[in-house]
Amino acid sequence: MLEQRIEQHFIDSADLKYQAAQVLSKPIAAAVQAILACVTNGGKVLICGNGGSAADAQHFAAEFIGRFERERPELAAIALTTDSSILTAIANDYDFNVIFSRQVRALGQPGDVLMAISTSGNSANVLAAIDAAHEREMVVVGLSGRNGGKMTSALRETDVHICVPHERTARIQEVHLLTLHCICDAVDHQLLGEQENNP
């Protein structure tokens, strides 16, 4: 019984990824183009999210500054989820809902990209970060799920919305991670060309 339950998680995850591939390939490609334009012009990617999405923010920053699968020059990315002194000072002195937006206003420049991650699309601090990014003339790449939540109306036409068509948080997060890997791979491919040993 337990093994069947575990197998069902694998099946459900695989089914969603298969179904979402066609729906999400176009917005993911648009996100790649926005991020490429940013980093090739000396810009940086700021990434924010809560909980598992915070982990995704750090994961993406690590693969951008370090590497994904290929050797390449460092790319500028900052996870806004990692500095406990900044996060606790802002949350204590102001409000938890502005922990990301104050960082975006401090660090963001025109031409930078904000990657805003919220499985529901309704995280107040992520939505505030989107507003701050718009004030700084940044492009926003929003990652959400379900029906996109409030993120749908917060994003502009010049932004990119990658909305996973599923209700379950775990499944949405699994596709968000795959999306981040797709972005890293596509950026590397655009910068470095085809890999010789690529199967």
Side-chain angles (χ1 to χ4, degrees):
M1 191 69 184
L2 180 58
E3 290 174 4
Q4 289 177 333
R5 185 178 182 87
I6 292 166
E7 287 174 11
Q8 192 61 49
H9 278 287
F10 278 83
I11 291 165
D12 291 347
S13 184
D15 283 348
L16 173 59
K17 288 170 182 167
Y18 186 79
Q19 293 164 17
Q22 196 168 11
V23 175
L24 299 183
S25 59
K26 186 173 182 178
I28 292 172
V32 170
Q33 294 304 322
I35 291 168
L36 267 172
C38 166
V39 297
T40 55
N41 285 297
K44 60 190 171 295
V45 182
L46 306 179
I47 319 105
C48 65
N50 299 287
S53 299
D56 286 342
Q58 291 161 224
H59 187 139
F60 182 83
E63 288 176 341
F64 242 49
I65 292 174
R67 67 174 179 195
F68 179 53
E69 294 180 327
R70 301 170 65 179
E71 292 297 335
R72 57 149 166 74
E74 303 83 353
L75 299 174
I78 303 171
L80 304 180
T81 56
T82 59
D83 191 319
S84 59
S85 294
I86 290 175
L87 295 172
T88 55
I90 295 172
N92 183 63
D93 295 347
Y94 299 95
D95 188 275
F96 187 76
N97 290 340
V98 299
I99 60 169
F100 300 135
S101 58
R102 289 188 70 88
Q103 293 186 75
V104 170
R105 287 191 188 94
L107 301 170
Q109 298 291 327
D112 287 348
V113 168
L114 173 69
M115 186 177 289
I117 311 173
S118 170
T119 55
S120 67
N122 293 321
S123 302
N125 54 12
V126 173
L127 294 169
I130 291 171
D131 289 342
H134 289 152
E135 289 174 25
R136 287 288 185 261
E137 297 176 34
M138 298 167 62
V139 172
V140 179
V141 174
L143 278 72
S144 70
R146 302 186 178 98
N147 63 359
K150 295 177 182 176
M151 185 182 287
T152 303
S153 56
L155 295 173
R156 296 176 173 171
E157 283 186 19
T158 50
D159 296 326
V160 180
H161 193 187
I162 301 167
C163 182
V164 179
H166 204 274
E167 292 297 315
R168 193 167 178 180
T169 298
R171 298 290 87 86
I172 296 166
Q173 289 175 332
E174 288 158 9
V175 176
H176 281 178
L177 180 56
L178 178 58
T179 296
L180 298 179
H181 283 166
C182 287
I183 291 171
C184 289
D185 172 75
V187 166
D188 284 0
H189 181 267
Q190 293 294 311
L191 291 174
L192 305 173
E194 197 69 51
Q195 196 168 11
E196 287 181 18
N197 297 345
N198 210 10

